[in-house]
Amino acid sequence: MVPEPEASGLVTLTTDFGGQDHYAGVMKGVIAAFNPSARVIDLCHEVAPQDVREAAFLLKASYRYFPGGTVHVVVVDPGVGTRRRVLCVVCAGQRFLAPDNGVLSYVLAEAGAWEAVEVTESRFFLPSVSWTFHGRDVFAPVAARLARGVALRDLGTPVWDPVLLAWPEPRVEADGTRVGEVVHVDRFGNLVTNLPVLPGGYRGVRAGATEVGDSRTSYAAVDEGQVLAIIGSSGLLEVSVNGGSAERVLGLGRGAEVRARPGRAGQAAPGRGETT
Amino acid sequence: MVPEPEASGLVTLTTDFGGQDHYAGVMKGVIAAFNPSARVIDLCHEVAPQDVREAAFLLKASYRYFPGGTVHVVVVDPGVGTRRRVLCVVCAGQRFLAPDNGVLSYVLAEAGAWEAVEVTESRFFLPSVSWTFHGRDVFAPVAARLARGVALRDLGTPVWDPVLLAWPEPRVEADGTRVGEVVHVDRFGNLVTNLPVLPGGYRGVRAGATEVGDSRTSYAAVDEGQVLAIIGSSGLLEVSVNGGSAERVLGLGRGAEVRARPGRAGQAAPGRGETT
Amino acid sequence: MVPEPEASGLVTLTTDFGGQDHYAGVMKGVIAAFNPSARVIDLCHEVAPQDVREAAFLLKASYRYFPGGTVHVVVVDPGVGTRRRVLCVVCAGQRFLAPDNGVLSYVLAEAGAWEAVEVTESRFFLPSVSWTFHGRDVFAPVAARLARGVALRDLGTPVWDPVLLAWPEPRVEADGTRVGEVVHVDRFGNLVTNLPVLPGGYRGVRAGATEVGDSRTSYAAVDEGQVLAIIGSSGLLEVSVNGGSAERVLGLGRGAEVRARPGRAGQAAPGRGETT
């Protein structure tokens, strides 16, 4: 049994709705209608349409910074209108509401213990459920109740087999080289890789065909416009350009190969612009 | 007399301000200054510049999902700085504040009964009103007071002749075929039409020059990349592509013709991926 | 000594994070974790990457519309990871938290009196501070405390030499002509200049190589698609196109020269569509 946290009254939204429509705003209207004291935080509405892995990554990078008892709602839902399940999960002291398409995979893998139900209690839905907008008709009214403390077991029946997507683990070569890939490209064109931060950093980083050098701790460690590898804020190695976009400069995107050898802890002396 | 609802303390904003400027943020600052307990929900700030009909559509698709007594503010206002009126309207248990340019038309048509005033009481405005940013100087401070319960009649004088834009009703041909048009294109490239959902759905849908088949209830009813007609979430028929953009695949946009024949209720058997 | 305002509980965010990532959302999670009653307003997240002057402009155009005691947080921070200072400033009855890169310059110049500290008290930071995301690890947790009333002097040591960027003052020629420049281009393609509004307006405005005529008070003073100069909402002259984009029509952007001669107060008769 995973203990259910007390509701914080906070709801986050992660969707692929973008900003040009009323979709996210209407979800907030429904949440307010069923729980006037819930507070809603937009985590991201610009997930690429139906990009389940991108939403999974954003959630993994974010959830632990929210107060215990927060309800994280994800509506990236290519299967809306089919028999795909809607899941509610307790883990890491928080609650998650999402379609059963793997979008919670990275969180579940990190959290270890979790408990899940399929949300079937339609008395918590809007009276009329559309075929295409469960964000409004199912997720929002259920989230409003979760933010008020409704318990997991009241929403439906236990689920032990959620759809799980594997986090792409880097491969280790005979000489210790890690072979990873770009898992996210952010607004600045930083290439976030799946190479976990190591105490000694990385040496000889290579992104696609470009030698990037050893990992640094400050963009200013290289000249403006130059490529560098940097210890990113999500605990992952990133490939960046000081004052520019690595995506554009290197012409690389998600899935691109990034190779690096583990550094030795304590070895690297801080370079220019680095504060160790 | 339309009864005035008790204020919910909720204000929604629908504007063409986009996200790159301070305009929407400043409106929230003014609202907070005049009513610290008001809560603001962004309905949409990405309305195309001065696109009154788009804002009217988004509002029509949204308002009924908000708690009674919500104040809906629309600032899509090509006539700012001219003598165009500012209206406050009570209808459907909610309140609306907008320039008198037809942006409330679809809501008023649906609601039936309404009551309106021209907002003239400048004591509710900012002390200095600019020529170009009434969102900040007029709409925000008035909305703050509305969210606190100030009554319609305190804002100005009754108006019986607001600017009204007709909802584009589909034409019915001799054989019963409905001839409608695309009234909104959403982020996913779904083409939302003005053809209202019918109990029996639609048969033989045709979007521009493309035969789309009968209306379905799930994107998954067709193969990925294929076009389909689907019962949309706003009670209107939509033309979509499973996992893609109908706007891009069909090369159609707002105003494009969509034709369909009413289906017979109970006739259609649920297809693949449909849950009926 | 500048008196420190009582906290309003309001925090604004101005960043270059955009909307496609989790960065702004995570900052709100951290603020909620340290101060559940803080209310956050997005001022702007679409500042161009690392564009300190653009953020400085947006802040200058906005801060005075917020309640006293608001905390304005700016995270446009090309120097993150270097030894650049983090500043907290009291001025104009509000508080500002930003990297020491000049982003507060225009506010400080306007406010006159201010008091600043370098934020060094790391007990207010997250336990582990990343190299690249001080918005989450430093600014958000400090802002949460500021919104709860923590005093400036508790955050660090006084600073008297913040980085200051000069506001680009227009040049005055022998015949009285003001020679200014475009300092901001907004979503509508309005070219906001550094020419301050004068009681008599401006005559003979020229933007780049285009004669624009005298300043007007309504877009409708000219035909649709025509260029005009207009008294903008930030107290600055703007060059606009009625129903269109001056940026696109004139092909001008930030830095473009705009020339004009001061008008004589009371001289200009209101034109078509103007309401005096």
Side-chain angles (χ1 to χ4, degrees):
Chain A
M1 272 287 290
V2 177
E4 207 158 348
E6 210 177 323
S8 70
L10 218 59
V11 175
T12 79
L13 301 181
T14 302
T15 78
D16 57 0
F17 292 159
Q20 72 183 71
D21 298 293
H22 57 295
Y23 300 139
V26 164
M27 282 187 67
K28 295 177 195 175
V30 172
I31 291 171
F34 287 95
N35 183 346
S37 64
R39 285 166 307 135
V40 178
I41 291 179
D42 298 306
L43 194 50
C44 183
H45 292 296
E46 302 288 343
V47 173
Q50 289 133 16
D51 192 338
V52 169
R53 282 199 180 266
E54 188 178 320
F57 174 81
L58 295 176
L59 205 61
K60 167 190 162 79
S62 305
Y63 76 94
R64 79 175 63 88
Y65 294 96
F66 284 82
T70 296
V71 178
H72 298 283
V73 181
V74 190
V75 191
V76 178
D77 191 9
V80 64
T82 68
R83 292 191 186 280
R84 68 90 183 85
R85 301 181 292 192
V86 172
L87 298 185
C88 184
V89 179
V90 179
C91 76
Q94 310 201 29
R95 300 201 281 181
F96 299 83
L97 184 65
D100 183 23
N101 58 22
V103 77
L104 301 180
S105 301
Y106 304 161
V107 170
L108 297 187
E110 239 180 52
W114 53 264
E115 204 168 322
V117 299
E118 180 185 356
V119 180
T120 53
E121 284 297 320
S122 58
R123 67 192 155 106
F124 293 124
F125 305 166
L126 291 198
S128 163
V129 173
S130 69
W131 299 106
T132 59
F133 192 5
H134 288 190
R136 176 190 69 193
D137 305 332
V138 174
F139 292 94
V142 170
R145 270 59 166 258
L146 283 167
R148 219 163 57 187
V150 165
L152 207 65
R153 65 172 175 279
D154 294 331
L155 298 178
T157 51
V159 162
W160 305 105
D161 59 345
V163 173
L164 291 176
L165 305 171
W167 173 255
E169 289 293 346
R171 185 160 50 83
V172 183
E173 296 196 330
D175 69 349
T177 296
R178 263 59 164 181
V179 184
E181 65 185 89
V182 174
V183 292
H184 179 69
V185 181
D186 76 7
R187 194 239 179 156
F188 301 95
N190 296 314
L191 306 170
V192 184
T193 76
N194 60 342
L195 297 171
V197 165
L198 299 179
Y202 283 97
R203 286 175 304 145
V205 179
R206 185 175 166 152
T210 306
E211 301 292 346
V212 176
D214 301 344
S215 63
R216 320 305 295 261
T217 58
S218 161
Y219 299 115
V222 300
D223 286 334
E224 205 154 310
Q226 295 301 303
V227 183
L228 77 162
I230 192 164
I231 303 303
S233 64
S234 306
L236 299 166
L237 190 72
E238 302 185 9
V239 176
S240 302
V241 163
N242 182 18
S245 161
E247 179 186 32
R248 218 168 305 138
V249 168
L250 298 179
L252 298 178
R254 217 158 73 181
E257 188 184 276
V258 177
R259 308 168 63 93
R261 295 189 310 279
R264 260 159 294 174
Q267 177 197 43
R272 180 177 52 131
E274 296 180 299
T275 52
T276 312
Chain B
M1 272 285 291
V2 177
E4 207 157 350
E6 209 177 325
S8 70
L10 217 59
V11 175
T12 79
L13 301 180
T14 301
T15 77
D16 57 0
F17 291 160
Q20 73 183 71
D21 298 293
H22 56 296
Y23 300 138
V26 164
M27 282 188 67
K28 296 177 194 174
V30 173
I31 291 171
F34 286 96
N35 183 345
S37 64
R39 285 167 306 135
V40 179
I41 291 179
D42 298 306
L43 194 50
C44 184
H45 292 297
E46 302 289 342
V47 173
Q50 288 133 17
D51 192 337
V52 170
R53 282 199 181 265
E54 188 178 319
F57 174 81
L58 295 176
L59 206 60
K60 166 191 164 78
S62 306
Y63 76 94
R64 77 175 63 88
Y65 294 96
F66 284 82
T70 296
V71 178
H72 298 282
V73 181
V74 190
V75 191
V76 178
D77 192 10
V80 64
T82 68
R83 291 190 186 280
R84 67 92 184 85
R85 302 180 292 192
V86 173
L87 299 185
C88 185
V89 179
V90 179
C91 77
Q94 310 201 29
R95 300 201 281 181
F96 298 83
L97 184 66
D100 183 23
N101 58 21
V103 77
L104 301 181
S105 302
Y106 305 161
V107 170
L108 298 187
E110 238 180 52
W114 53 263
E115 203 167 324
V117 298
E118 180 184 357
V119 180
T120 53
E121 284 297 319
S122 59
R123 66 191 155 106
F124 294 123
F125 305 167
L126 290 198
S128 164
V129 173
S130 70
W131 299 105
T132 58
F133 191 7
H134 288 190
R136 176 191 69 193
D137 305 332
V138 174
F139 292 93
V142 170
R145 270 59 165 259
L146 283 167
R148 220 164 56 189
V150 165
L152 207 65
R153 64 172 177 280
D154 294 332
L155 298 177
T157 50
V159 163
W160 303 106
D161 59 346
V163 173
L164 291 176
L165 304 172
W167 173 254
E169 289 293 346
R171 186 160 50 83
V172 184
E173 297 198 328
D175 69 348
T177 296
R178 262 64 164 178
V179 184
E181 64 185 89
V182 174
V183 291
H184 180 69
V185 181
D186 76 6
R187 195 242 178 155
F188 300 95
N190 296 314
L191 307 169
V192 184
T193 76
N194 60 342
L195 297 171
V197 165
L198 300 178
Y202 283 97
R203 288 175 302 146
V205 179
R206 186 175 166 151
T210 305
E211 301 293 346
V212 177
D214 301 344
S215 63
R216 319 307 293 261
T217 57
S218 162
Y219 299 115
V222 300
D223 286 334
E224 205 155 311
Q226 295 301 304
V227 183
L228 77 161
I230 191 165
I231 303 304
S233 64
S234 305
L236 299 166
L237 190 71
E238 302 186 8
V239 176
S240 301
V241 163
N242 182 18
S245 161
E247 179 187 31
R248 218 167 305 139
V249 168
L250 298 178
L252 298 178
R254 216 158 73 182
E257 188 183 277
V258 177
R259 308 168 64 94
R261 296 190 309 279
R264 260 161 293 176
Q267 177 197 43
R272 179 177 51 131
E274 295 180 300
T275 52
T276 310
Chain C
M1 272 288 290
V2 178
E4 205 156 350
E6 209 178 324
S8 70
L10 217 60
V11 175
T12 79
L13 301 180
T14 302
T15 77
D16 57 0
F17 291 159
Q20 72 183 73
D21 298 294
H22 56 295
Y23 300 138
V26 163
M27 282 188 67
K28 296 178 195 175
V30 172
I31 290 171
F34 286 96
N35 183 345
S37 64
R39 285 166 307 135
V40 178
I41 291 179
D42 298 306
L43 194 50
C44 183
H45 292 296
E46 301 289 341
V47 174
Q50 289 133 16
D51 191 338
V52 169
R53 282 200 181 265
E54 188 178 320
F57 174 81
L58 295 177
L59 205 60
K60 167 190 162 79
S62 307
Y63 76 94
R64 77 175 63 88
Y65 294 96
F66 284 82
T70 295
V71 178
H72 299 283
V73 181
V74 190
V75 190
V76 178
D77 192 9
V80 64
T82 68
R83 292 191 185 281
R84 67 91 184 83
R85 302 181 292 192
V86 172
L87 298 185
C88 184
V89 179
V90 178
C91 77
Q94 310 203 28
R95 301 202 281 181
F96 298 83
L97 184 66
D100 183 23
N101 59 21
V103 77
L104 301 180
S105 301
Y106 305 162
V107 171
L108 298 186
E110 239 180 52
W114 52 264
E115 204 168 322
V117 299
E118 180 184 356
V119 180
T120 53
E121 284 296 320
S122 58
R123 66 192 156 107
F124 294 123
F125 305 166
L126 290 199
S128 163
V129 173
S130 70
W131 299 105
T132 58
F133 192 7
H134 288 190
R136 177 191 68 193
D137 305 332
V138 174
F139 292 93
V142 170
R145 270 60 165 257
L146 283 167
R148 218 163 58 186
V150 165
L152 207 64
R153 66 172 175 279
D154 294 332
L155 298 178
T157 51
V159 163
W160 304 105
D161 59 346
V163 173
L164 291 176
L165 304 172
W167 173 253
E169 289 293 345
R171 185 160 49 83
V172 183
E173 297 197 329
D175 68 348
T177 297
R178 263 61 165 182
V179 184
E181 64 185 90
V182 175
V183 291
H184 180 69
V185 181
D186 76 6
R187 195 240 178 156
F188 301 95
N190 296 314
L191 306 169
V192 184
T193 76
N194 61 342
L195 296 170
V197 166
L198 299 178
Y202 283 97
R203 287 175 304 146
V205 179
R206 185 176 167 152
T210 306
E211 301 293 347
V212 177
D214 301 344
S215 63
R216 319 307 294 262
T217 57
S218 162
Y219 298 115
V222 300
D223 286 335
E224 205 156 309
Q226 295 302 303
V227 182
L228 78 161
I230 191 164
I231 302 304
S233 63
S234 306
L236 299 166
L237 190 70
E238 301 186 9
V239 176
S240 302
V241 163
N242 182 17
S245 161
E247 179 187 32
R248 217 167 306 137
V249 169
L250 298 178
L252 298 178
R254 217 156 76 181
E257 188 184 277
V258 177
R259 308 168 64 94
R261 295 190 310 280
R264 260 161 294 177
Q267 177 196 42
R272 180 178 51 133
E274 296 180 299
T275 52
T276 313

